[in-house]
Amino acid sequence: MSSYKIGVIKGDGIGPEIVQEAVKVLDAVANVEGLSFSYEEFLLGGSAIDATGVPLPKETIEGVKRVDAVLFGAIGGPKWDNLDRHLRPESGLLALRKEMNTFANLRPATVYDELINASTLKPEVVEGVDIMVVRELTGGIYFGEPREYGKDRAYNTMVYTKEEVERIAKVAFDIASKRDKRVCSVDKANVLEVSQFWRDIVEEVAKDYPEVELTHMYVDNAAMQLIRYPKQFDVILTGNIFGDILSDAASMLSGSIGLLPSASTGKKVGLYEPIHGSAPDIAGEGIANPIATIASASMMLKYAFGELSAANRIDDAIKKALADGYRTKDLSAFDAKEVVSTSQMGSIIADYASK
Ligand code: NAD
């Protein structure tokens, strides 16, 4: 029997509700696939501030080194919004990603056939969309030095090293090799030196992947093409800030922020989390959609543990729940047969996944 240690960070807002459902589904799958999961909980974000005074306690930094992967809900909320920037929940998450060296953020944007009408775009535009956005996560302008907030001016610095571009490009080409074998690298090389550098390094890495087709696109055009004709993309490779914006745009192709998972991986332990935030406006109401977090658990099985059969089981169970017309409130307007709570949706998917 394969055993895995999973770190669990519930976080704030709807975090605890949705993570609980993902754990429920993992346990259901473990039973049928002959896997064994043990869980260890860690604090991050607002709940960590309340308990320890800081958003990223030492115990969490140490703890995530002991586990095989981390399942994470979401952090943040109005209660902590007025704290100094370095003490806010979001700073804890950025620091944790840096600590874990999770330099690659993988965000699939897939459109479920059953929810094709949930997209704001026409069905014929989004039908069959299956994009993987590979975003560099620990470099670029979010981390570049120098940075300053001055009285009369403020600035940040966009900087990439050769090593940073090479390693994220390899992740994108490796993934594309197992998909439709196309990488579109997105930059702003017509204006930024750092982007021309990015482009040159990506060209170099591409030489090791002759079976994968590489194209380049400026970020402004990429934003437009994502909305105009998203089916043209297979893997999108891009830097931190461009990827932040493009992956949010790509996520809306599917119609609901509550559906989409992500993985932040590096050389060691990866972080698996929904793309949405802590949704304080609906926290505690039992109406949050747990599917993005359950699908993040599936990505963990696939990318961290290589347990493809178990991952497929979860993905198929999600599709079946949607095909059978079960919807949480956010999707109740789209072909719902029955509107269910967060925990009912978790139980339905767990049940399907265990058959
Ligand atoms: P959000 O993603 O939390 O919510 C945006 C909207 O989507 C809200 O109306 C919310 O109710 C809805 N929504 C989000 N997830 C949903 C789900 N699973 N089911 C149903 N509806 C869902 O973004 P926001 O409101 O801009 O941010 C709220 C807090 O979350 C802020 O403190 C922000 O900093 C934080 N945040 C955290 C992360 C993270 O932990 N990775 C990411 C983004 C935002």
Side-chain angles (χ1 to χ4, degrees), residues 272-321:
Y272 296 81
E273 55 176 306
I275 69 158
H276 58 72
S278 60
D281 53 333
I282 57 167
E285 290 181 32
I287 57 171
N289 190 341
I291 290 181
T293 316
I294 295 170
S296 302
S298 163
M299 286 187 88
M300 181 173 74
L301 294 177
K302 188 168 172 185
Y303 292 102
F305 307 154
E307 297 288 354
L308 299 188
S309 161
N312 289 339
R313 229 173 223 290
I314 296 183
D315 295 344
D316 289 347
I318 293 172
K319 282 190 202 131
K320 182 158 168 47

Side-chain angles (χ1 to χ4, degrees), residues 11-12 14 18 44 72-81 88-90 93 97 107 248 256-259 262 273-283 287-293 328-331 342:
D12 311 316
I14 60 170
I18 52 179
L44 180 72
F72 167 50
I75 47 95
K79 183 176 173 192
W80 305 281
D81 275 352
R88 287 188 23 192
E90 293 78 2
L93 179 56
R97 285 178 178 153
R107 278 213 203 177
D248 265 24
S256 169
I257 197 164
L259 290 173
S262 78
E273 55 176 306
I275 69 158
H276 58 72
S278 60
D281 53 333
I282 57 167
I287 57 171
N289 190 341
I291 290 181
T293 316
T328 40
K329 196 174 167 211
D330 51 316
L331 294 171
T342 308

Side-chain angles (χ1 to χ4, degrees), residues 2-72:
S2 303
S3 306
Y4 301 102
K5 276 190 267 177
I6 300 174
V8 174
I9 299 178
K10 293 179 174 168
D12 311 316
I14 60 170
E17 302 166 51
I18 52 179
V19 168
Q20 182 172 316
E21 299 315 309
V23 169
K24 192 189 275 179
V25 174
L26 280 171
D27 284 340
V29 162
N31 269 337
V32 276
E33 291 280 334
L35 306 173
S36 157
F37 300 130
S38 60
Y39 304 97
E40 193 177 348
E41 275 194 40
F42 305 112
L43 290 174
L44 180 72
S47 52
I49 294 170
D50 290 350
T52 70
V54 290
L56 175 59
K58 215 169 57 248
E59 292 72 26
T60 301
I61 299 175
E62 290 305 317
V64 297
K65 293 180 187 152
R66 290 194 294 270
V67 295
D68 298 313
V70 178
L71 180 67
F72 167 50

Side-chain angles (χ1 to χ4, degrees), residues 64-192:
V64 297
K65 293 180 187 152
R66 290 194 294 270
V67 295
D68 298 313
V70 178
L71 180 67
F72 167 50
I75 47 95
K79 183 176 173 192
W80 305 281
D81 275 352
N82 294 324
L83 294 172
D84 284 350
R85 185 163 297 278
H86 70 286
L87 282 177
R88 287 188 23 192
E90 293 78 2
S91 304
L93 179 56
L94 285 181
L96 181 66
R97 285 178 178 153
K98 195 82 181 169
E99 282 286 339
M100 293 173 73
N101 205 3
T102 53
F103 61 84
N105 184 230
L106 317 182
R107 278 213 203 177
T110 33
V111 175
Y112 291 103
D113 285 348
E114 296 74 17
L115 289 175
I116 202 131
N117 292 321
S119 177
T120 48
L121 299 186
K122 291 183 188 141
E124 60 269 30
V125 175
V126 291
E127 190 181 14
V129 162
D130 181 9
I131 302 170
M132 177 67 88
V133 180
V134 178
R135 166 188 168 198
E136 201 289 326
L137 200 59
T138 53
I141 196 162
Y142 291 170
F143 293 94
E145 297 288 347
R147 60 199 295 157
E148 190 177 303
Y149 182 95
K151 193 164 155 288
D152 298 315
R153 65 172 196 159
Y155 55 86
N156 292 87
T157 308
M158 192 190 275
V159 53
Y160 269 116
T161 65
K162 186 170 179 217
E163 190 210 343
E164 284 174 326
V165 183
E166 269 173 2
R167 65 186 186 179
I168 191 70
K170 282 182 190 157
V171 171
F173 281 99
D174 282 338
I175 290 176
S177 309
K178 294 178 199 130
R179 293 173 45 105
D180 205 30
K181 301 186 173 39
R182 289 180 293 123
V183 169
C184 177
S185 174
V186 173
D187 59 39
K188 192 71 183 166
N190 50 342
V191 180
L192 302 173

